[in-house]
């Protein structure tokens, strides 16, 4: 097995996750500056539609990227299957680059929102194409950690966005432009690097019927073995399926439910709301603006360290054990943040509990979600299954992020918000215990067969 080459291709594709993380969080440093700059009270149709300054900011300035992400996730399966994983990933790099440059140069909130929307399309599509590609080139015994490289790059991008925001906070008369525009540099580098990867052998065989092309890629992946054995296994799997099938057919209902629930609970932990509004939440806890930005960098470091731990453990302990660890950590940390707000604890209490929250996310949901969704669907439905799970994730992320400024402005105490998220994580723990199967170490073609037959060996 050519592990070095597989790792290089995987890390190249996973850089789409770096841009995802950077794009998602870089806006947090500009959040309050943009709200002050574009403090719009929008009334449409004679006042029948009214967006308060908080709702306008959440919807037009902050939320448009997530609108794009939702659409990119919903539609991302189409180019991923039709044009291939590689060409889709190239397109994603261009979307990120255009978004960064356009957003940095925007002079009104609507143009800014439009370019943020373009970047959101790239984020959403990347959550479909990147995990699908990596899962299709990875050996089963290393699939978890290789797909989880995507999540590692997300948190690495988050960390660098926090650091970049802190370093650029005093540059020029409008530092937010430098913060947002900085993404153009990694977007350009990523796009160039994608040219060096081959097409997915499973995509070549399943969608193009290119047996020779698939064989060449499989030879590069595994220098020791004849690719005919793997080709035969993939072809046998394809011969048993109807390519006109939909993920919404009755036989795939259990896969649909699993993808929906893991994405649903990922966002109902409050992770995206926290990452978008980390400086604002830290200031609400009594920290100054500069200290809040530094605390955000600490969050990024904790996220990176515990994601590395999750990356190390995911193929050793399995997906389900990590979800148990993360769920318990969520419940404790979010519950204590709520208590700290209710009792008006000052100083480092709230940041410490939020660090525990980030660690719980990184080792649990963060490490598992993209791996799990990319594994459970058969080859001919993987992109659309990934699209369904990703779009569920991003619809909820958009709703929570859009309304978070208004919620924080109206609730008497942020503790109520964190208490709600903690309660949702109790339900996630029940989902992991009663429904979630273990998928580690099982070849993709064998895995879907076992999941659809609901064999007990996967319920451990």
């Amino acid at each position: 097995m050519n592990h070095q080459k597989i790792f290089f291709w995987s890390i190249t594709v996973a850089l789409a996750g770096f841009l995802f993380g950077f794009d998602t969080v870089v806006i947090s440093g500009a959040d309050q500056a943009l709200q002050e700059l574009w403090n719009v009270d929008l009334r449409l149709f004679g006042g029948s539609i009214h967006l308060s300054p908080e709702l306008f900011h959440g919807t037009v300035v902050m939320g448009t990227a997530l609108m794009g992400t939702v659409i990119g996730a919903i539609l991302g399966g189409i180019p991923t299957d039709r044009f291939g994983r590689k060409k889709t990933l190239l397109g994603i790099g261009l979307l990120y680059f255009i978004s960064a440059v356009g957003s940095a140069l925007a002079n009104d909130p609507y143009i800014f929102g439009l370019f943020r929307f373009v970047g959101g399309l790239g984020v959403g599509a990347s959550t479909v194409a990147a995990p699908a590609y990596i899962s299709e080139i990875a050996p089963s015994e290393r699939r978890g950690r290789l797909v989880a490289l995507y999540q590692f790059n997300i948190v690495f991008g988050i960390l660098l966005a926090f650091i970049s925001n802190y370093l650029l906070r005093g540059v020029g008369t409008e530092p937010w432009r430098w913060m947002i525009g900085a993404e153009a540099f990694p977007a350009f580098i990523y796009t160039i690097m994608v040219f060096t990867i081959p097409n997915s052998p499973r995509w070549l065989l399943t969608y193009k019927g290119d047996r020779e092309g698939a064989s060449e890629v499989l030879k590069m992946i595994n220098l020791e073995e004849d690719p005919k054995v793997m080709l035969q296994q993939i072809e046998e799997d394809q011969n048993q399926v109807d390519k006109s099938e939909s993920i919404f057919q009755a036989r795939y209902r259990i896969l649909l439910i699993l993808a929906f629930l893991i994405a649903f609970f990922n966002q109902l932990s409050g992770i995206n709301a926290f990452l978008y509004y980390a400086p604002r939440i830290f200031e609400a806890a009594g920290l100054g603006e500069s200290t809040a930005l530094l605390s955000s960098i600490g969050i990024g470091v904790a996220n990176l360290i515990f994601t590395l731990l999750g990356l190390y453990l995911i193929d050793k302990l399995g997906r389900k054990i990590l979800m148990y660890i993360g769920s318990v950590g969520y419940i404790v940390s979010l519950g204590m943040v709520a208590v700290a707000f209710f009792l008006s604890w000052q100083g480092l209490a709230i940041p410490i509990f939020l660090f525990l929250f980030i660690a719980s996310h990184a080792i649990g949901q963060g490490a598992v979600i993209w791996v799990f969704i990319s594994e459970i669907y058969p080859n001919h439905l993987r992109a659309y299954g990934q699209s369904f799970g990703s779009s569920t994730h991003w619809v909820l992320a958009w709703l929570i992020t859009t309304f978070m400024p208004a919620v924080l402005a109206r609730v008497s105490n942020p503790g109520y918000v964190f208490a709600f998220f903690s309660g949702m994580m109790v339900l996630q723990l029940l989902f992991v215990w009663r429904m979630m199967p273990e998928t580690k170490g099982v070849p993709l073609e064998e895995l879907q067969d076992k999941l659809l037959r609901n064999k007990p060996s996967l319920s451990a």
Side-chain angles (χ1 to χ4, degrees):
M1 191 67 68
N2 195 336
H3 293 301
Q4 190 174 17
K5 187 159 284 189
I6 294 171
F7 178 79
F8 176 76
W9 294 339
S10 298
I11 199 69
T12 296
V13 171
L15 287 174
F18 174 89
L19 293 165
F20 162 179
F22 196 99
D23 188 88
T24 298
V25 170
V26 73
I27 192 71
S28 69
D31 166 32
Q32 297 186 67
L34 291 173
Q35 188 167 2
E36 291 174 10
L37 178 64
W38 296 318
N39 188 33
V40 178
D41 190 338
L42 183 65
R43 296 176 186 271
L44 300 172
F45 305 110
S48 58
I49 296 179
H50 174 221
L51 292 181
S52 66
E54 293 86 4
L55 271 178
F56 180 87
H57 179 66
T59 303
V60 177
V61 179
M62 299 294 285
T64 46
L66 283 168
M67 291 181 199
T69 301
V70 170
I71 294 173
I74 291 172
L75 302 180
I78 297 173
T80 300
D81 279 347
R82 182 171 299 176
F83 304 116
R85 285 60 165 141
K86 179 177 179 177
K87 287 182 179 178
T88 302
L89 290 164
L90 282 169
I92 288 166
L94 291 174
L95 290 174
Y96 280 129
F97 181 81
I98 292 167
S99 171
V101 174
S103 300
L105 297 176
N107 286 318
D108 70 68
Y110 304 102
I111 297 298
F112 179 85
L114 175 63
F115 279 108
R116 288 288 294 164
F117 176 85
V118 169
L121 291 174
V123 172
S126 80
T127 60
V128 177
Y133 179 92
I134 299 171
S135 71
E136 290 177 349
I137 66 165
S140 57
E141 70 276 7
R142 300 180 71 224
R143 188 175 60 239
R145 69 184 65 176
L146 287 174
V147 178
L149 284 171
Y150 180 72
Q151 177 64 21
F152 168 78
N153 274 276
I154 292 173
V155 300
F156 187 43
I158 288 170
L159 173 61
L160 286 195
F162 280 136
I163 293 173
S164 174
N165 285 346
Y166 181 76
L167 294 176
L168 296 172
R169 71 193 185 283
V171 175
T173 56
E174 294 181 300
W176 68 266
R177 294 188 185 277
W178 294 94
M179 293 178 183
I180 300 294
E183 186 183 351
F185 297 102
F188 177 77
I189 294 169
Y190 160 77
T191 305
I192 298 301
M193 289 182 67
V194 172
F195 281 103
T196 66
I197 68 171
N199 279 302
S200 157
R202 283 182 168 88
W203 176 79
L204 286 171
L205 198 58
T206 303
Y207 288 95
K208 303 298 286 184
D210 186 357
R211 202 173 193 278
E212 184 177 342
S215 177
E216 287 301 314
V217 178
L218 288 171
K219 283 179 184 176
M220 289 189 282
I221 290 174
N222 196 334
L223 300 174
E224 293 83 19
E225 295 182 14
D226 190 331
K228 290 180 181 177
V229 177
M230 178 60 76
L231 284 171
Q232 184 177 353
Q233 187 178 6
I234 298 172
E235 286 176 331
E236 286 176 357
D237 176 69
Q238 294 310 303
N239 292 334
Q240 294 172 12
V241 301
D242 178 0
K243 292 185 181 179
S244 66
E245 285 183 321
S246 161
I247 61 170
F248 298 104
Q249 289 182 217
R251 72 183 300 244
Y252 297 116
R253 186 175 298 138
I254 183 60
L255 307 184
L256 210 65
I257 292 170
L258 290 171
F260 174 84
L261 286 177
I262 196 167
F264 175 85
F265 286 121
N266 183 284
Q267 283 306 298
L268 267 295
S269 69
I271 184 63
N272 262 56
F274 174 62
L275 291 176
Y276 267 65
Y277 299 109
R280 185 183 294 226
I281 292 169
F282 282 132
E283 285 187 49
L287 302 182
E289 181 181 353
S290 183
T291 307
L293 282 171
L294 274 175
S295 296
S296 299
I297 294 175
I299 288 293
V301 172
N303 203 359
L304 186 70
I305 291 170
F306 282 91
T307 296
L308 282 170
L309 182 58
L311 204 71
Y312 174 74
L313 294 175
I314 192 167
D315 285 324
K316 294 180 180 293
L317 299 182
R319 290 62 162 146
K320 193 163 181 173
I321 295 295
L322 294 190
M323 286 291 288
Y324 274 129
I325 295 170
S327 297
V328 172
Y330 274 143
I331 294 165
V332 172
S333 59
L334 290 167
M336 291 307 298
V337 170
V339 169
F341 271 114
F342 287 137
L343 299 181
S344 300
W345 292 350
Q346 295 295 312
L348 295 176
I350 290 176
I352 287 171
F353 294 134
L354 286 173
F355 273 53
L356 177 58
F357 164 70
I358 285 293
S360 302
H361 174 78
I363 202 170
Q365 270 274 13
V368 172
I369 180 172
W370 306 117
V371 176
F372 185 76
I373 296 175
S374 73
E375 291 176 319
I376 60 176
Y377 281 96
N379 292 328
H380 68 298
L381 294 175
R382 179 165 296 112
Y384 287 99
Q386 190 83 25
S387 178
F388 174 79
S390 296
S391 58
T392 300
H393 173 281
W394 289 115
V395 166
L396 288 165
W398 171 65
L399 289 172
I400 292 170
T401 304
T402 296
F403 291 103
M404 194 67 174
V407 170
L408 289 174
R410 283 167 174 75
V411 296
S412 58
N413 192 311
Y416 291 109
V417 177
F418 288 97
F420 168 77
F421 289 142
S422 182
M424 294 307 299
M425 292 303 93
V426 174
L427 297 181
Q428 175 177 276
L429 184 61
L430 294 175
F431 157 69
V432 176
W433 174 43
R434 298 299 299 168
M435 291 188 65
M436 185 178 175
E438 181 55 76
T439 59
K440 72 162 184 167
V442 185
L444 290 177
E445 285 72 26
E446 182 183 337
L447 176 59
Q448 284 91 49
D449 182 60
K450 288 186 175 182
L451 280 171
L452 294 174
R453 292 175 185 274
N454 199 25
K455 290 190 176 178
S457 59
L458 284 173
S459 62

